[in-house]
Amino acid sequence: MSEPTKAPPAAAGRAATKKELPEHFKAYKHVWVFIEQERGQVHSVSWELMGAGRKLADKLKVDLAAVVIGPPGEAVQHAAAESFCYGADLAYIVADDVLTDYRNEAYTKALTDVVNTFKPEILLLGATTLGRDLAGSVATTLLTGLTADCTELDVDADGSLAATRPTFGGSLLCTIYTLNYRPQMATVRPRVMPMPERLEKPATRIIEHKLGLVEEDIVTKVLSFIPDRDSAKSNLAYADVVVAGGLGLGSPENFQLVKGLAAVLGAEFGCSRPLVQKGWVTSDRQIGQTGKTIRPKLYIAAGISGAIQHRVGVEGADLIVAINTDKNAPIFDFAHVGIVTDAIRLLPALTEAFRARLSPHSRDRIAS
């Protein structure tokens, strides 16, 4: 008589399945932040990431380093020096004439070279147009993992980077680990992380890394630089006051009520994803995980249900005022002030009330 078949073991958790980190990866230490700068201007997301990186480095008891890539000159040196004021312990500079303008091939070569030489444990980049392009190619070249558009960064008990992001169209939040590869890479969109306080600090440890690349080795060529004429189309990410509308408004004509209130308040206007999908509003006005992340002092949401995809884009606001006819709408779970009423009736009343009380010169008080 044969023995009874044993039941398969229960599904093991992440901790049970983690393998020993390969020996050649154990030398990887420290947290790095890529300092994105173009034509002498540092993107503010880099300083936001320095604040997040500082927390990770402190938990791991390692150094926080800034990585600055660009053409030789004062701009690169200034960006490296400025990184110390936002928490860096040291800075790496890769300066070369082939890095004057961003090109994926040259910047990928520069960043992978410095990573392979100095071996960071964690590498963070901004999820900007440039950062997304660079992060994907660097991760592919280094044969490591990359978690994109993170909303939260942490390290667990064994020191692994825990990168959280929405998934399944924004309906769930998941935490992703890069267990057996280094560096652990993640991108974070502008305004997701709070801006750290700038503290005057001398630039102490700066390491310059030479790039062995000549112009003839690069396939792409920069013929001219043409500024994006739509780059100032909206300033949602950095607005102090934002008014937004959702499907609860019922029609594109009713969305004009959002624009009217925004105009009186001197605010930016935005929308939830369904309105972009319906063609009511342009995509540069979309707020949420697949749109803009905002951190205003005041956010007024009219007719927006508040699904998690939208929530992760607005929960950094100081004050969220939600207007919705459905008292069970998810937005009321995280709004600071909830008004259960028809936004189509309330918005004109709010607009007139603010217009009566505010002169054109007093609108700045709303954001103070």
Side-chain angles (χ1 to χ4, degrees), residues 254-286:
N254 288 335
F255 188 80
Q256 300 305 313
L257 300 175
V258 169
K259 291 184 176 180
L261 179 56
V264 168
L265 294 176
E268 286 281 351
F269 68 88
C271 68
S272 57
R273 181 170 61 178
L275 270 61
V276 173
Q277 293 172 331
K278 285 181 171 291
W280 295 4
V281 187
T282 56
S283 60
D284 66 301
R285 296 285 177 180
Q286 181 182 329

Coordinates of all heavy atoms in Angstrom, one line a residue, residues 254-286:
N254 N -20.5 72.1 -18.3 CA -20.4 72.4 -16.9 C -19.0 72.5 -16.3 O -18.8 73.1 -15.3 CB -21.2 71.2 -16.1 CG -22.7 71.3 -16.4 OD1 -23.2 72.4 -16.6 ND2 -23.3 70.2 -16.2
F255 N -18.0 71.9 -17.1 CA -16.7 72.1 -16.6 C -16.2 73.5 -16.6 O -15.3 73.9 -15.9 CB -15.7 71.2 -17.5 CG -14.3 71.2 -17.0 CD1 -14.0 70.3 -16.0 CD2 -13.3 72.0 -17.5 CE1 -12.7 70.3 -15.5 CE2 -12.0 72.0 -17.0 CZ -11.7 71.1 -16.0
Q256 N -16.9 74.4 -17.4 CA -16.6 75.8 -17.4 C -16.7 76.4 -16.0 O -16.1 77.4 -15.7 CB -17.4 76.5 -18.4 CG -17.3 76.0 -19.9 CD -15.8 76.1 -20.3 OE1 -15.1 77.1 -20.1 NE2 -15.4 75.0 -20.9
L257 N -17.6 75.8 -15.2 CA -17.8 76.3 -13.8 C -16.5 76.1 -13.0 O -16.2 77.0 -12.1 CB -18.9 75.5 -13.1 CG -20.3 75.6 -13.8 CD1 -21.2 74.6 -13.1 CD2 -20.8 77.0 -13.8
V258 N -15.7 75.0 -13.3 CA -14.4 74.8 -12.6 C -13.4 75.9 -13.1 O -12.7 76.5 -12.2 CB -13.9 73.5 -13.0 CG1 -12.4 73.3 -12.5 CG2 -14.7 72.4 -12.3
K259 N -13.4 76.2 -14.4 CA -12.5 77.3 -14.9 C -12.9 78.6 -14.3 O -12.0 79.4 -14.0 CB -12.6 77.3 -16.4 CG -12.0 76.1 -17.1 CD -12.1 76.3 -18.6 CE -11.4 75.2 -19.4 NZ -11.4 75.4 -20.8
G260 N -14.2 78.9 -14.1 CA -14.6 80.2 -13.6 C -14.2 80.4 -12.2 O -13.7 81.4 -11.8
L261 N -14.3 79.3 -11.3 CA -13.9 79.4 -9.9 C -12.3 79.6 -9.9 O -11.8 80.4 -9.1 CB -14.3 78.2 -9.1 CG -13.9 78.2 -7.7 CD1 -14.4 79.4 -6.9 CD2 -14.4 76.9 -7.0
A262 N -11.6 78.8 -10.7 CA -10.2 78.9 -10.7 C -9.7 80.3 -11.1 O -8.8 80.9 -10.5 CB -9.6 77.9 -11.7
A263 N -10.4 80.9 -12.1 CA -10.0 82.3 -12.5 C -10.2 83.3 -11.4 O -9.3 84.2 -11.2 CB -10.8 82.7 -13.7
V264 N -11.3 83.2 -10.6 CA -11.5 84.1 -9.6 C -10.5 84.0 -8.4 O -10.0 84.9 -7.8 CB -12.9 83.9 -9.0 CG1 -13.1 84.7 -7.7 CG2 -14.0 84.4 -10.0
L265 N -10.1 82.7 -8.2 CA -9.1 82.5 -7.1 C -7.7 82.7 -7.6 O -6.7 82.5 -6.8 CB -9.3 81.0 -6.6 CG -10.6 80.7 -5.9 CD1 -10.6 79.2 -5.6 CD2 -10.7 81.5 -4.7
G266 N -7.4 82.9 -8.9 CA -6.1 83.0 -9.4 C -5.4 81.6 -9.3 O -4.2 81.5 -9.1
A267 N -6.2 80.6 -9.5 CA -5.7 79.2 -9.4 C -5.5 78.5 -10.7 O -5.9 79.0 -11.8 CB -6.7 78.4 -8.5
E268 N -4.9 77.3 -10.7 CA -4.8 76.4 -11.8 C -6.1 75.5 -11.8 O -6.6 75.2 -10.7 CB -3.6 75.6 -11.8 CG -2.3 76.3 -12.1 CD -2.1 76.5 -13.6 OE1 -2.9 75.9 -14.4 OE2 -1.2 77.3 -14.0
F269 N -6.5 75.1 -13.0 CA -7.6 74.1 -13.0 C -7.1 72.8 -13.6 O -6.2 72.7 -14.4 CB -8.8 74.7 -13.9 CG -8.5 74.8 -15.4 CD1 -8.8 73.7 -16.2 CD2 -8.0 76.0 -15.9 CE1 -8.5 73.8 -17.6 CE2 -7.8 76.1 -17.2 CZ -8.0 75.0 -18.1
G270 N -7.8 71.7 -13.1 CA -7.4 70.4 -13.6 C -8.6 69.5 -13.6 O -9.8 69.9 -13.5
C271 N -8.4 68.2 -13.8 CA -9.5 67.3 -14.0 C -9.0 65.9 -13.6 O -7.8 65.6 -13.5 CB -10.0 67.3 -15.4 SG -8.8 66.6 -16.6
S272 N -10.0 64.9 -13.5 CA -9.7 63.5 -13.3 C -9.5 62.9 -14.7 O -9.9 63.4 -15.7 CB -10.8 62.9 -12.5 OG -12.1 63.0 -13.2
R273 N -9.0 61.6 -14.7 CA -8.7 60.9 -15.9 C -9.9 60.7 -16.9 O -9.7 60.9 -18.1 CB -8.0 59.6 -15.6 CG -7.6 58.8 -16.8 CD -6.8 57.6 -16.5 NE -7.5 56.6 -15.6 CZ -7.0 55.5 -15.2 NH1 -5.8 55.1 -15.5 NH2 -7.7 54.7 -14.4
P274 N -11.1 60.4 -16.4 CA -12.2 60.2 -17.3 C -12.5 61.4 -18.2 O -12.9 61.2 -19.4 CB -13.4 59.8 -16.4 CG -12.7 59.3 -15.2 CD -11.5 60.0 -15.0
L275 N -12.2 62.6 -17.7 CA -12.5 63.7 -18.6 C -11.6 63.9 -19.7 O -11.9 64.4 -20.8 CB -12.5 65.0 -17.7 CG -13.9 65.4 -17.1 CD1 -14.4 64.3 -16.1 CD2 -13.8 66.7 -16.3
V276 N -10.3 63.5 -19.5 CA -9.3 63.5 -20.6 C -9.7 62.4 -21.6 O -9.6 62.6 -22.8 CB -7.9 63.2 -20.0 CG1 -6.9 63.0 -21.2 CG2 -7.5 64.4 -19.2
Q277 N -10.1 61.2 -21.1 CA -10.5 60.1 -22.0 C -11.7 60.5 -22.8 O -11.8 60.0 -24.0 CB -10.8 58.9 -21.1 CG -9.5 58.3 -20.4 CD -9.9 57.2 -19.5 OE1 -10.9 57.1 -18.9 NE2 -8.9 56.3 -19.3
K278 N -12.6 61.3 -22.3 CA -13.8 61.7 -23.1 C -13.5 62.9 -24.0 O -14.3 63.3 -24.8 CB -14.9 62.1 -22.1 CG -15.6 60.9 -21.5 CD -16.7 61.4 -20.6 CE -17.5 60.2 -20.1 NZ -18.3 59.6 -21.2
G279 N -12.3 63.5 -23.8 CA -11.9 64.6 -24.7 C -12.4 65.9 -24.2 O -12.4 66.9 -25.0
W280 N -12.9 66.0 -23.0 CA -13.4 67.3 -22.4 C -12.3 68.2 -22.1 O -12.4 69.5 -22.2 CB -14.2 67.0 -21.2 CG -15.5 66.3 -21.4 CD1 -15.9 65.7 -22.5 CD2 -16.5 66.0 -20.4 NE1 -17.1 65.0 -22.3 CE2 -17.5 65.2 -21.0 CE3 -16.6 66.3 -19.0 CZ2 -18.6 64.7 -20.3 CZ3 -17.7 65.8 -18.3 CH2 -18.7 65.1 -18.9
V281 N -11.2 67.7 -21.6 CA -10.0 68.5 -21.2 C -8.7 67.9 -21.7 O -8.7 66.7 -21.9 CB -10.0 68.5 -19.6 CG1 -8.9 69.5 -19.1 CG2 -11.3 68.9 -19.0
T282 N -7.7 68.7 -22.0 CA -6.5 68.2 -22.5 C -5.7 67.5 -21.5 O -5.8 67.7 -20.2 CB -5.6 69.4 -23.1 OG1 -5.4 70.3 -22.0 CG2 -6.3 70.0 -24.3
S283 N -4.8 66.6 -21.9 CA -4.1 65.7 -21.0 C -3.2 66.4 -20.0 O -2.8 65.9 -19.0 CB -3.3 64.6 -21.8 OG -2.4 65.3 -22.6
D284 N -2.7 67.6 -20.4 CA -1.8 68.3 -19.5 C -2.5 68.8 -18.2 O -1.8 69.3 -17.3 CB -1.1 69.5 -20.2 CG -2.1 70.6 -20.6 OD1 -3.0 70.2 -21.4 OD2 -1.9 71.7 -20.2
R285 N -3.8 68.7 -18.2 CA -4.6 69.1 -17.0 C -5.0 67.9 -16.2 O -5.7 68.1 -15.2 CB -5.8 69.9 -17.5 CG -5.5 71.2 -18.2 CD -5.1 72.3 -17.3 NE -4.8 73.5 -18.0 CZ -4.3 74.6 -17.4 NH1 -4.2 74.6 -16.1 NH2 -4.0 75.7 -18.1
Q286 N -4.6 66.7 -16.5 CA -5.0 65.6 -15.8 C -4.3 65.4 -14.5 O -3.0 65.6 -14.4 CB -4.8 64.3 -16.6 CG -5.3 63.0 -15.9 CD -5.0 61.8 -16.7 OE1 -5.0 61.8 -17.9 NE2 -4.7 60.7 -16.1

